[in-house]
Amino acid sequence: MSTSVATVCLSGGLVEKLHACAAAGFDGVEIMDADLVAAPESPEEIRALCARLGLRIDMFQPFRDFEGVDEAALAANLRRAAAKFDVMERLGTDLMLLCSNVATATTGDDDTLVAHLRAIADLAAERGIRIAYEALAWGAYVDDYREAWRLVELADRDNLGVCLDSFHILSRGFDPEAIERIPGEKIFFLQLADAPALEMDVLQWSRHHRLFPGEGDFDLTGFLGHVLRAGYAGPLSLEVFNDTFRQTDVVRTAAHARRSLTWLADRTAAENGWDADRIIAPQPAREVDFVEIAGANLHEFDQMLGQLGFAFRGGHRSKPVRLWTAGSARVILNEQLRHESPRLTGIGVAVGDAAAAAERAAQLGAAPVYRRTYRGEVELRAVASPDGTEVYWNDRPAEDSWVREFIGGAHEASLSGAIDHVNVSYPWEEFDEAVLFMSSVVGLEAESAADVPGPRGLVRSQVMTTPDAVIRLPMNLAPPTAPVPDRHAAVRVDDAVAVARAARARGLRFLPVPANYYDDVAARFSLDADTLGTLRELDLLYDRDADGEFVHFYTPTIGGVFLEIVERRGNYDGYGAPNAPVRLSAQRQLATPTP
């Protein structure tokens, strides 16, 4: 697989973008005309830099508003094209992207359009340059890739072909199957972008809301399959216009972009039974092995876990790390990572083959994590997600693995539970990147997203999970002007009421729930007075659907972390979403100083 990326996808100046593309492992780039115009470096300097970085310049783009004009405008456009061909020769690239006319075309007459395409192709041929004609989804007369190919075929020039762009094709709902009827050698270039399913003006959709493959709703694996079956042998290139990516760190975004192409090529090959471009399959998860909370002083967590009924299993024999367990729920408190405020920093996943999981992560460009390990200690394979959250893989039973390295504690817990889900949160600029990382590297699948009302606006919640729900990872996107929500781990138990009573008896106070909430519960659900009274007494929250019931409560927040105790009754599969606004509001009130 050969890869490329349009410089428009990234933030910064052209030189910064090129360095980031090379660092991410791209083979080539599309140089955006606007990026070159704004660069202080000459085309020769950009060409030399790309050569030093090992980057091809695959295409110069775009050339706009050319065909379907009157004779005077055509002459001016050919002069403009000749000037850009001069620039291309200085850059050392032989392919130009010609977009279908949007603004200046006065006719869609076949004879006129074909004559104009021949004119620019013949002018380009004198310079050894090829033209890739692309149908823009909002083109004045040519807005369908099939029409663009028909005109190219009529023009009949060896150096004239088509550029296929997934956004322009899939956003309009055009059937990509006809791509397979285009000769592969006449598909001069391929541009890929994903996007969310939106009902809006297609130009605004394209300019602001494209995403990298794997982050939106387009069937890009099906699309790419058609292109490759047609015989296309050029680079897979990304052209993603997105307001977020043009503001985020250029190195990180380039790595994110490159990961998306590896994921897409692998998925496409798998769907078509091809061996090329395959990477190691994701390892099925068996359970959440542990969650890690790190901070400078975690004694409040020791107290809270003890009040909940966890057993203290001791300190690590060589590190300032402690372990608390309740059944298969394991919480690591790590004071060697000196965060000022406690944070949920790591998630362990039990798998069948940790080495294979780590190798897949490496193939997807994930950064490995190394921690000091002494003789006789288990070395857990791990990678850092883009925001720094670490993912560990363990292929040995916990009791025969790293758990044995903790000494000096008890071995019995009054609480028996399991990690039900781990709730993580991100600022707006990191969310799409995090979703792609969890789907590609960890092998999770995205469920439908939902919006949760909060005191500072809507919080978007995207649940990532394994097919059997062994791993559940709700991911929350904070509104742009709001602080990022705190993270938490949820422990599933058989009897949340009994756990709450016992924890209360040990002195733990839960997140307070307003009386108005229970008035609403009484109105929505037919609960008997005793059940409703128990909920009120213990600050428990309740939800019910056609499949079952959900009872849960929250601990106070310490730093940026809190815990949740959940009980699932019947086949309830949700997360108590109707209760989230109550929780968010209560947490905000506790965090806001009293005037």
Side-chain angles (χ1 to χ4, degrees):
M1 175 181 66
S2 176
T3 61
S4 189
V5 61
T7 56
V8 73
C9 299
L10 305 171
S11 65
L14 183 54
V15 168
E16 294 174 85
K17 296 182 183 194
L18 295 175
H19 278 281
C21 292
F26 282 99
D27 302 303
V29 291
E30 304 174 42
I31 299 288
M32 190 77 172
D33 191 15
D35 284 330
L36 182 64
V37 168
E41 298 79 17
S42 68
E44 290 83 1
E45 289 173 311
I46 295 300
R47 177 179 183 172
L49 175 61
C50 286
R52 290 197 303 272
L53 293 173
L55 290 172
R56 297 184 313 261
I57 301 179
D58 288 321
M59 187 164 68
F60 182 70
Q61 65 117 328
F63 193 75
R64 298 185 183 276
D65 297 328
F66 173 78
E67 80 284 12
V69 297
D70 59 33
E71 288 301 314
L74 177 64
N77 287 344
L78 287 171
R79 288 193 296 273
R80 182 163 56 93
K84 293 301 180 182
F85 294 159
D86 289 340
V87 173
M88 291 176 62
E89 287 184 335
R90 296 169 67 191
L91 277 172
T93 187
D94 70 345
L95 182 62
M96 172 186 274
L97 177 67
L98 173 64
C99 299
S100 61
N101 199 324
V102 172
T104 64
T106 58
T107 179
D109 172 68
D110 271 6
D111 290 340
T112 302
L113 296 180
V114 169
H116 292 181
L117 290 176
R118 285 173 176 163
I120 192 171
D122 290 343
L123 183 64
E126 298 172 5
R127 316 282 284 272
I129 289 172
R130 300 174 299 140
I131 303 295
Y133 186 48
E134 175 186 54
L136 297 184
W138 53 91
Y141 294 100
V142 180
D143 60 2
D144 186 329
Y145 78 97
R146 293 164 293 195
E147 177 68 3
W149 164 237
R150 189 180 68 84
L151 294 171
V152 165
E153 195 171 26
L154 289 172
D156 191 23
R157 292 295 187 268
D158 289 342
N159 69 325
L160 179 66
V162 294
C163 174
L164 299 177
D165 183 307
S166 63
F167 182 87
H168 294 302
I169 295 170
L170 300 179
S171 67
R172 293 291 303 275
F174 296 144
D175 186 351
E177 188 274 334
I179 291 172
E180 296 189 40
R181 294 192 284 276
I182 303 174
E185 67 273 11
K186 297 299 283 185
I187 303 174
F188 280 6
F189 208 70
L190 172 66
Q191 293 176 321
L192 296 162
D194 210 334
L198 299 173
E199 294 291 334
M200 65 183 304
D201 174 73
V202 70
L203 175 58
Q204 295 305 310
W205 189 10
S206 172
R207 285 287 175 262
H208 303 285
H209 300 287
R210 295 196 195 195
L211 297 169
F212 291 122
E215 298 175 340
D217 297 307
F218 286 168
D219 178 15
L220 285 188
T221 55
F223 175 85
L224 182 56
H226 289 303
V227 175
L228 296 179
R229 283 192 293 273
Y232 175 72
L236 308 188
S237 190
L238 296 166
E239 188 190 46
V240 175
F241 297 88
N242 184 289
D243 296 339
T244 297
F245 301 149
R246 283 181 278 191
Q247 298 178 60
T248 50
D249 177 77
V250 62
V251 173
R252 183 165 158 179
T253 304
H256 171 196
R258 183 63 181 80
R259 178 176 297 124
S260 75
L261 279 183
T262 301
W263 173 89
L264 176 60
D266 175 64
R267 289 288 295 267
T268 303
E271 287 191 7
N272 288 276
W274 300 331
D275 292 330
D277 300 324
R278 292 305 313 276
I279 62 175
I280 293 176
Q283 283 290 300
R286 295 198 294 240
E287 66 175 349
V288 175
D289 195 31
F290 63 86
V291 293
E292 178 185 72
I293 298 168
N297 190 332
L298 301 176
H299 295 300
E300 288 183 81
F301 271 103
D302 288 301
Q303 180 181 11
M304 185 168 71
L305 289 166
Q307 290 171 325
L308 283 171
F310 278 72
F312 177 58
R313 298 295 296 273
H316 193 273
R317 65 191 188 193
S318 66
K319 303 178 182 71
V321 177
R322 301 187 293 280
L323 173 64
W324 290 82
T325 66
S328 65
R330 291 174 282 274
V331 178
I332 291 175
L333 303 181
N334 187 343
E335 291 185 342
Q336 67 179 341
L337 301 178
R338 310 295 290 182
H339 302 296
E340 292 183 3
S341 179
R343 294 166 45 191
L344 197 157
T345 55
I347 303 169
V349 182
V351 294
D353 188 337
E359 177 61 23
R360 175 182 173 85
Q363 292 173 329
L364 286 158
V369 171
Y370 299 101
R371 289 193 183 174
R372 183 186 63 204
T373 303
Y374 292 103
R375 180 183 300 175
E377 295 178 357
V378 175
E379 182 178 356
L380 294 179
R381 299 174 185 269
V383 295
S385 65
D387 74 303
T389 302
E390 296 173 353
V391 178
Y392 291 81
W393 290 286
N394 178 27
D395 54 12
R396 298 169 62 178
E399 296 299 328
D400 187 39
S401 180
W402 55 269
V403 171
R404 293 183 291 112
E405 298 168 12
F406 290 83
I407 56 178
H411 292 272
E412 296 295 332
S414 60
L415 175 66
S416 180
I419 299 295
D420 182 83
H421 61 272
V422 181
N423 193 303
V424 293
S425 51
Y426 299 90
W428 61 273
E429 70 272 17
E430 296 180 359
F431 187 76
D432 292 319
E433 181 183 27
V435 169
L436 177 63
F437 179 89
M438 290 300 175
S439 62
S440 62
V441 175
V442 186
L444 304 183
E445 298 176 358
E447 297 183 350
S448 298
D451 289 330
V452 176
R456 297 288 295 273
L458 291 178
V459 175
R460 178 185 174 194
S461 181
Q462 172 73 72
V463 175
M464 308 291 293
T465 183
T466 53
D468 58 2
V470 168
I471 306 292
R472 300 170 181 255
L473 193 74
M475 304 174 67
N476 292 335
L477 169 63
T481 59
V484 178
D486 297 320
R487 295 181 169 193
H488 77 271
V491 178
R492 185 175 63 254
V493 299
D494 292 332
D495 188 342
V497 173
V499 172
R501 287 197 186 281
R504 276 281 176 89
R506 299 186 191 103
L508 181 61
R509 292 294 175 262
F510 313 141
L511 182 73
V513 178
N516 293 336
Y517 168 79
Y518 296 105
D519 293 339
D520 181 66
V521 167
R524 288 189 295 131
F525 304 111
S526 178
L527 298 178
D528 61 76
D530 288 344
T531 299
L532 191 61
T534 298
L535 297 177
R536 286 181 186 271
E537 173 196 355
L538 297 173
D539 286 310
L540 302 179
L541 295 106
Y542 178 87
D543 190 33
R544 185 171 69 200
D545 61 18
D547 298 314
E549 299 171 288
F550 191 62
V551 180
H552 58 135
F553 68 88
Y554 299 97
T555 71
T557 301
I558 302 173
V561 190
F562 60 96
L563 299 178
E564 178 184 9
I565 300 297
V566 306
E567 177 191 347
R568 297 179 181 276
R569 299 174 179 173
N571 294 317
Y572 184 95
D573 197 46
Y575 302 87
N579 300 328
V582 177
R583 188 256 297 173
L584 290 169
S585 180
Q587 289 174 328
R588 181 171 183 265
Q589 290 180 36
L590 288 178
T592 303
T594 303

